[in-house]
Amino acid sequence: MPEQTQSLRAIILDWAGTTVDYGSRAPTQVFVDIFRRRGVEVTVEEARGPMGTAKRDHIAAVAALPRVSAQWQKLHGRVPNNQDVQTIYDEFLPLQKQTLATQSSDVIPGVAKAIAELRRRGLKIGSTTGYTRALMDVVAPIAARGGYAPDAIVCSDEVAAGRPAPWMNFRAAELLGVYPMSSTIIVDDTFVGITAGLAAGAWTIGISQTGNALGLSQSEAESLPASELNARLERIESDFRAVGSHFVIRSVAELPARWHEMERRLK
C-alpha cells in the first residue's frame, strides 16, 4: 500500500480499453488473425489473457498456452520457439498499425471531457501502453483529434521491460515531473496494468466496463440486460480488487465525479 499523501498530483492512464478503443478490441482480433495464418486457432479469451503486456511478450504468452502449443506442434512438428515468436511479432506490427489507422483508435465517450476537467483541477495527465512507439504514432493523432492528448506517452519499447514491471509508470512520472509515486493514480483495464501500478508504489484504479475484462463494444455492452451487465461488472470488480486495485469504476468518464471521494479515502 502506498504511503498516504496530502494530494494527488497526477494520473497515468493506459490507452486501449481505458481511454481509446472501447472494449480493447483492436489488439485481440489481430492476435487471432495472426495465429490463424499459421493454421493455429486462438480463441478471443486466449488472445485477451496477456493483454496489457508488451506485444512481443503477449505473443510469446499466447504461443506458450498448452492448447495453442499443441496445435503448433501438430502442424509444424515442434512447439513454437523464440524465432517463431519474433516472426509473428514482425508480421503483427504492420497488421496492428493498419487496424489502428482504420478503426479502434477512437476516444471512449466521456473520456476527453473527464480529462479536461481533471486538468482544470490541476492534475497532470500521463499515459503508458503496451503498444510500441510506431503504433502510438498512429493512435495518438487520432485520439488528439478526438480531444484526448496526454502530457506524456510512454511505450513498451522505450523501457527495459513492459508490464507488470513498473518502469513505464516511473518514466511517465519522471516526464510529468511528479513524485512521490503516492501522489499518482494509475488507471488501467488489465490486471497486469494494476500489478504494474502497485509495483510502482502508486494508487490504482481498475476499469471494468470499457476495457479488456468485459471485452465488449459500446453497443454490445449497452444491449445487454441491465441485470446481466451488472452481474458481469460485479465479477470484474471483484477480480480487480483481488489483485489489489484500490478503486474500480466502469469508465474514465466517471473520474471527475469520483475524484473527491478518492482523495478523501487516500488521505
Side-chain angles (χ1 to χ4, degrees):
M1 172 92 45
E3 294 181 3
Q4 293 182 325
T5 182
Q6 290 303 306
S7 63
L8 295 169
R9 299 178 56 207
I11 181 169
I12 299 174
L13 307 104
D14 174 53
W15 281 80
T18 298
T19 53
V20 301
D21 186 13
Y22 198 117
S24 192
R25 298 166 71 82
T28 307
Q29 191 55 52
V30 177
F31 283 125
V32 170
D33 292 343
I34 204 75
F35 277 91
R36 183 174 291 147
R37 289 184 176 196
R38 286 158 175 80
V40 175
E41 292 296 325
V42 172
T43 68
V44 170
E45 290 74 19
E46 288 168 335
R48 285 190 178 279
M51 199 69 75
T53 59
K55 297 312 169 198
R56 193 187 186 286
D57 295 341
H58 191 142
I59 291 168
V62 173
L65 292 172
R67 197 188 69 81
V68 175
S69 182
Q71 287 187 71
W72 190 285
Q73 185 166 27
K74 183 177 180 180
L75 287 167
H76 303 285
R78 55 174 173 76
V79 296
N81 58 31
N82 186 62
Q83 184 56 54
D84 295 322
V85 171
Q86 185 62 46
T87 300
I88 294 172
Y89 178 68
D90 290 341
E91 188 175 336
F92 164 85
L93 289 174
L95 288 175
Q96 183 70 89
K97 185 179 291 188
Q98 180 181 2
T99 300
L100 294 171
T102 57
Q103 57 183 312
S104 302
S105 293
D106 292 338
V107 179
I108 293 169
V111 166
K113 183 178 179 181
I115 295 302
E117 173 59 22
L118 293 176
R119 271 207 178 100
R120 189 190 67 78
R121 299 182 189 184
L123 273 295
K124 294 184 177 181
I125 310 299
S127 67
T128 63
T129 178
Y131 287 153
T132 63
R133 177 58 64 176
L135 295 176
M136 282 308 300
D137 285 344
V138 175
V139 176
I142 297 172
R145 291 195 291 273
Y148 175 60
D151 305 318
I153 301 173
V154 180
C155 301
S156 60
D157 59 340
E158 297 173 333
V159 292
R163 304 169 183 133
W167 313 130
M168 286 198 294
N169 292 322
F170 290 148
R171 178 61 177 149
E174 178 187 8
L175 292 172
L176 295 174
V178 172
Y179 66 90
M181 290 302 292
S182 58
S183 65
T184 299
I185 283 190
I186 307 299
V187 185
D188 205 290
D189 65 302
T190 66
F191 303 129
V192 70
I194 295 301
T195 300
L198 295 170
W203 304 101
T204 59
I205 299 176
I207 299 296
S208 62
Q209 180 166 325
T210 70
N212 182 67
L214 184 63
L216 300 178
S217 68
Q218 183 177 5
S219 61
E220 289 171 338
E222 292 176 348
S223 69
L224 287 177
S227 58
E228 182 178 348
L229 176 61
N230 289 336
R232 291 194 192 185
L233 294 179
E234 286 174 4
R235 287 195 295 271
I236 292 168
E237 177 170 355
S238 177
D239 290 341
F240 270 123
R241 292 193 180 280
V243 298
S245 186
H246 298 102
F247 304 96
V248 181
I249 60 178
R250 294 190 177 199
S251 168
V252 168
E254 298 178 7
L255 275 174
R258 301 284 300 276
W259 197 257
H260 291 312
E261 169 201 344
M262 292 177 183
E263 284 198 310
R264 285 195 302 270
R265 289 177 59 186
L266 298 182
K267 287 183 179 179

Coordinates of all heavy atoms in Angstrom, one line a residue, residues 84-116:
D84 N 10.1 -18.2 -33.9 CA 8.7 -18.2 -34.3 C 8.0 -16.9 -33.7 O 7.2 -16.2 -34.4 CB 7.9 -19.4 -33.9 CG 8.4 -20.7 -34.6 OD1 8.8 -20.6 -35.8 OD2 8.5 -21.7 -33.9
V85 N 8.2 -16.7 -32.5 CA 7.6 -15.5 -31.8 C 8.0 -14.3 -32.5 O 7.2 -13.4 -32.8 CB 8.0 -15.5 -30.3 CG1 7.5 -14.2 -29.7 CG2 7.3 -16.7 -29.6
Q86 N 9.3 -14.1 -32.8 CA 9.8 -12.9 -33.5 C 9.2 -12.8 -34.9 O 8.8 -11.6 -35.3 CB 11.3 -13.0 -33.6 CG 12.0 -11.7 -34.1 CD 11.7 -10.5 -33.2 OE1 11.9 -10.6 -32.0 NE2 11.3 -9.4 -33.8
T87 N 9.1 -13.9 -35.6 CA 8.5 -13.8 -36.9 C 7.0 -13.3 -36.9 O 6.6 -12.5 -37.6 CB 8.6 -15.2 -37.6 OG1 9.9 -15.5 -37.8 CG2 7.9 -15.1 -39.0
I88 N 6.3 -13.9 -35.9 CA 4.9 -13.5 -35.7 C 4.8 -12.0 -35.3 O 4.0 -11.2 -35.8 CB 4.2 -14.3 -34.6 CG1 4.1 -15.8 -35.1 CG2 2.8 -13.8 -34.3 CD1 3.6 -16.8 -34.0
Y89 N 5.7 -11.6 -34.4 CA 5.7 -10.2 -34.0 C 6.0 -9.2 -35.1 O 5.4 -8.2 -35.3 CB 6.8 -10.0 -32.9 CG 7.0 -8.6 -32.4 CD1 5.9 -8.0 -31.6 CD2 8.1 -7.9 -32.6 CE1 6.1 -6.7 -31.1 CE2 8.3 -6.6 -32.1 CZ 7.3 -6.0 -31.4 OH 7.4 -4.7 -30.9
D90 N 7.0 -9.6 -36.0 CA 7.3 -8.8 -37.1 C 6.2 -8.6 -38.1 O 6.0 -7.6 -38.7 CB 8.5 -9.3 -37.9 CG 9.8 -9.2 -37.1 OD1 9.9 -8.4 -36.1 OD2 10.8 -10.0 -37.4
E91 N 5.4 -9.7 -38.2 CA 4.2 -9.6 -39.0 C 3.0 -8.9 -38.4 O 2.2 -8.2 -39.0 CB 3.8 -11.0 -39.4 CG 2.7 -11.1 -40.5 CD 2.4 -12.5 -40.9 OE1 3.3 -13.4 -40.8 OE2 1.3 -12.8 -41.4
F92 N 3.0 -9.0 -37.0 CA 1.9 -8.4 -36.2 C 1.9 -6.9 -36.4 O 0.9 -6.3 -36.5 CB 2.1 -8.8 -34.8 CG 1.3 -8.0 -33.8 CD1 0.0 -8.3 -33.5 CD2 1.9 -6.9 -33.1 CE1 -0.8 -7.5 -32.6 CE2 1.2 -6.2 -32.2 CZ -0.2 -6.5 -32.0
L93 N 3.1 -6.3 -36.3 CA 3.2 -4.8 -36.2 C 2.5 -4.1 -37.3 O 1.7 -3.2 -37.1 CB 4.6 -4.4 -36.0 CG 5.3 -4.7 -34.7 CD1 6.8 -4.4 -34.7 CD2 4.6 -4.0 -33.6
P94 N 2.8 -4.4 -38.6 CA 2.1 -3.7 -39.7 C 0.6 -4.0 -39.7 O -0.2 -3.1 -40.1 CB 2.8 -4.2 -41.0 CG 3.5 -5.5 -40.6 CD 3.8 -5.3 -39.1
L95 N 0.2 -5.2 -39.4 CA -1.2 -5.5 -39.3 C -1.9 -4.7 -38.2 O -3.0 -4.2 -38.4 CB -1.5 -7.0 -39.1 CG -1.1 -7.9 -40.2 CD1 -1.3 -9.4 -39.8 CD2 -2.0 -7.7 -41.4
Q96 N -1.3 -4.6 -37.1 CA -1.9 -3.8 -36.0 C -1.9 -2.4 -36.4 O -2.9 -1.7 -36.1 CB -1.0 -4.0 -34.7 CG -1.6 -3.3 -33.5 CD -2.9 -3.9 -33.0 OE1 -2.9 -4.8 -32.2 NE2 -4.0 -3.4 -33.5
K97 N -0.9 -1.9 -37.0 CA -0.9 -0.5 -37.4 C -2.0 -0.2 -38.4 O -2.7 0.9 -38.3 CB 0.5 -0.1 -38.1 CG 0.7 1.3 -38.4 CD 2.0 1.6 -39.1 CE 3.1 1.5 -38.0 NZ 4.4 2.0 -38.6
Q98 N -2.2 -1.1 -39.3 CA -3.3 -0.9 -40.3 C -4.7 -0.9 -39.6 O -5.6 0.0 -39.9 CB -3.3 -2.0 -41.3 CG -4.4 -1.9 -42.4 CD -4.4 -3.1 -43.4 OE1 -3.5 -3.9 -43.3 NE2 -5.3 -3.0 -44.3
T99 N -4.9 -1.8 -38.6 CA -6.1 -1.8 -37.8 C -6.3 -0.5 -37.1 O -7.4 0.0 -37.0 CB -6.1 -3.0 -36.9 OG1 -6.0 -4.2 -37.6 CG2 -7.4 -3.1 -36.1
L100 N -5.3 -0.1 -36.4 CA -5.4 1.2 -35.6 C -5.6 2.4 -36.5 O -6.3 3.3 -36.0 CB -4.1 1.4 -34.8 CG -3.8 0.3 -33.7 CD1 -2.4 0.5 -33.2 CD2 -4.8 0.4 -32.6
A101 N -5.1 2.4 -37.7 CA -5.3 3.5 -38.6 C -6.7 3.6 -39.1 O -7.2 4.7 -39.5 CB -4.3 3.5 -39.7
T102 N -7.4 2.5 -39.2 CA -8.7 2.5 -39.9 C -9.9 2.3 -38.9 O -11.0 2.5 -39.2 CB -8.8 1.3 -40.9 OG1 -8.5 0.1 -40.3 CG2 -7.8 1.6 -42.0
Q103 N -9.6 1.8 -37.7 CA -10.6 1.6 -36.7 C -10.0 1.4 -35.3 O -8.8 1.3 -35.2 CB -11.4 0.3 -37.0 CG -10.5 -0.9 -37.1 CD -11.2 -2.2 -37.5 OE1 -12.3 -2.5 -36.9 NE2 -10.7 -2.9 -38.5
S104 N -10.8 1.5 -34.3 CA -10.4 1.1 -32.9 C -9.4 2.1 -32.3 O -8.7 1.7 -31.3 CB -9.8 -0.3 -32.9 OG -10.7 -1.2 -33.4
S105 N -9.2 3.3 -32.8 CA -8.4 4.3 -32.1 C -9.3 5.5 -31.6 O -8.7 6.5 -31.1 CB -7.3 4.8 -33.0 OG -6.4 3.8 -33.2
D106 N -10.6 5.4 -31.7 CA -11.5 6.4 -31.3 C -11.5 6.6 -29.7 O -11.4 5.6 -29.0 CB -12.9 6.2 -31.7 CG -13.0 6.3 -33.2 OD1 -12.2 6.9 -33.9 OD2 -14.0 5.7 -33.8
V107 N -11.6 7.8 -29.3 CA -11.6 8.1 -27.8 C -12.9 7.5 -27.3 O -14.0 7.7 -27.9 CB -11.5 9.6 -27.6 CG1 -11.6 9.9 -26.1 CG2 -10.1 10.1 -28.1
I108 N -12.9 6.9 -26.1 CA -14.1 6.4 -25.5 C -14.9 7.5 -25.1 O -14.4 8.5 -24.5 CB -13.7 5.5 -24.3 CG1 -12.9 4.2 -24.8 CG2 -14.9 5.1 -23.4 CD1 -12.3 3.4 -23.7
P109 N -16.3 7.4 -25.3 CA -17.2 8.5 -24.9 C -17.0 9.0 -23.5 O -16.9 8.2 -22.5 CB -18.5 7.9 -25.1 CG -18.3 6.9 -26.2 CD -17.0 6.3 -25.9
G110 N -16.9 10.3 -23.3 CA -16.8 10.9 -22.0 C -15.4 11.1 -21.5 O -15.1 11.8 -20.5
V111 N -14.4 10.4 -22.1 CA -13.0 10.5 -21.7 C -12.4 11.9 -21.8 O -11.8 12.4 -20.9 CB -12.1 9.4 -22.4 CG1 -10.7 9.7 -22.1 CG2 -12.5 8.0 -21.9
A112 N -12.6 12.4 -23.0 CA -12.0 13.8 -23.3 C -12.5 14.8 -22.3 O -11.7 15.6 -21.8 CB -12.2 14.2 -24.7
K113 N -13.8 14.8 -22.1 CA -14.4 15.7 -21.1 C -13.9 15.5 -19.7 O -13.6 16.5 -19.0 CB -15.9 15.6 -21.2 CG -16.6 16.6 -20.3 CD -18.1 16.5 -20.4 CE -18.9 17.5 -19.5 NZ -20.4 17.3 -19.6
A114 N -13.8 14.3 -19.3 CA -13.3 14.0 -18.0 C -11.8 14.4 -17.8 O -11.5 15.0 -16.8 CB -13.4 12.4 -17.7
I115 N -11.0 14.1 -18.8 CA -9.6 14.5 -18.7 C -9.4 16.1 -18.6 O -8.6 16.6 -17.9 CB -8.8 13.9 -19.8 CG1 -8.7 12.4 -19.7 CG2 -7.3 14.5 -19.8 CD1 -8.2 11.9 -18.4
A116 N -10.2 16.7 -19.4 CA -10.2 18.2 -19.4 C -10.6 18.8 -18.1 O -10.0 19.7 -17.6 CB -11.1 18.8 -20.5

